[in-house]
Amino acid sequence: AVQGRRLRSNLTRLLMTTSRLVDASTPRDAIPRAVHELRQLVVCKSIAVYLVRKDGGYIRLNFTDISKAPTESSAHMLSAPYAGALKDAAVVFGTHETGDAEMIIPMRTANETLGLVVLTGAPGHAYSAEQADLAEALTSQLALSIDSFRLRRAAADTAITDERNRLARELHDSVSQALFSIALGSRTARELVERKESPAGTLDYVV
């Protein structure tokens, strides 16, 4: 009965967290929220989030004190367990070089893996299957939140590009029309001069 109540409580928290992550405007908002909830669901000393950069490197956000901003660093490659979890898109349980227990969870969408979430526990700590399932579910929601932000940004960039192209076409058309009018007026003025008529009105139109 106690285990059932705990499970219902955790599932309720997970659903509420999902709603908060959907409302997050940027990954900078979503990630701390997800980390805070992970700390409530899973016993751990620290949480690190690795994000894949466009150049193939990684941004590492290390959360050791939830009341403070994370420390941020860059890395060009990952250790073997991390790289394996990223490549296989599967949860990996391991031991850090310090002896601390680790749970490495890939942040993946249907199309790609965006990074990793690494939970570090005390030496000898064993994560339960329930904790692993909850952490993986929350990490998946975080991945969807980040992917949603990227899609929105890409759509906005596309809209801006389309608007610039439209303005460029309009400008090109207006310039072409003006040049045509100038050419037509100049030709008319030249014909009037050749016939020894006054081109003043035509020149005024051209100017």
Side-chain angles (χ1 to χ4, degrees):
V2 174
Q3 185 176 1
R5 286 197 298 271
R6 186 180 70 248
L7 180 58
R8 286 193 296 271
S9 175
N10 287 338
L11 290 175
T12 299
R13 177 179 287 276
L14 184 60
L15 289 173
M16 293 176 61
T17 302
T18 298
S19 176
R20 294 190 187 101
L21 292 180
V22 170
D23 293 338
S25 57
T26 69
R28 293 288 181 181
D29 296 327
I31 292 174
R33 294 184 187 183
V35 167
H36 175 75
E37 294 304 325
L38 276 171
R39 284 182 176 274
Q40 306 304 311
L41 294 171
V42 182
V43 177
C44 58
K45 292 169 53 179
S46 64
I47 297 176
V49 178
Y50 291 80
L51 299 172
V52 179
R53 295 193 314 231
K54 291 182 179 179
D55 62 2
Y58 307 91
I59 297 173
R60 181 177 187 266
L61 301 173
N62 191 37
F63 294 83
T64 53
D65 186 343
I66 197 61
S67 64
K68 298 179 181 179
T71 57
E72 182 174 333
S73 59
S74 298
H76 296 291
M77 60 186 300
L78 299 174
S79 62
Y82 294 7
L86 194 64
K87 179 182 177 182
D88 299 335
V91 178
V92 172
F93 298 93
T95 303
H96 192 265
E97 59 187 14
T98 59
D100 292 336
E102 286 186 328
M103 178 163 53
I104 308 165
I105 310 168
M107 283 193 297
R108 60 181 183 270
T109 65
N111 301 317
E112 62 178 325
T113 302
L114 306 179
L116 298 169
V117 174
V118 180
L119 285 74
T120 302
H125 176 76
Y127 292 103
S128 67
E130 179 185 329
Q131 288 179 325
D133 289 342
L134 289 169
E136 188 175 12
L138 199 153
T139 300
S140 295
Q141 295 303 317
L142 175 58
L144 290 174
S145 175
I146 294 173
D147 191 46
S148 176
F149 167 76
R150 291 180 175 179
L151 290 174
R152 292 196 306 270
R153 185 173 61 182
D157 291 343
T158 299
I160 292 172
T161 300
D162 290 345
E163 179 65 12
R164 286 175 176 170
N165 291 338
R166 184 187 68 80
L167 292 173
R169 287 194 300 270
E170 290 184 358
L171 179 60
H172 178 270
D173 292 344
S174 63
V175 170
S176 297
Q177 184 177 2
L179 291 175
F180 175 77
S181 299
I182 291 172
L184 181 62
S186 298
R187 185 174 63 184
T188 301
R190 185 171 59 251
E191 291 175 353
L192 291 173
V193 169
E194 290 174 352
R195 293 203 303 265
K196 296 183 179 180
E197 298 180 16
S198 173
T202 302
L203 291 176
D204 288 340
Y205 168 74
V206 171
V207 174

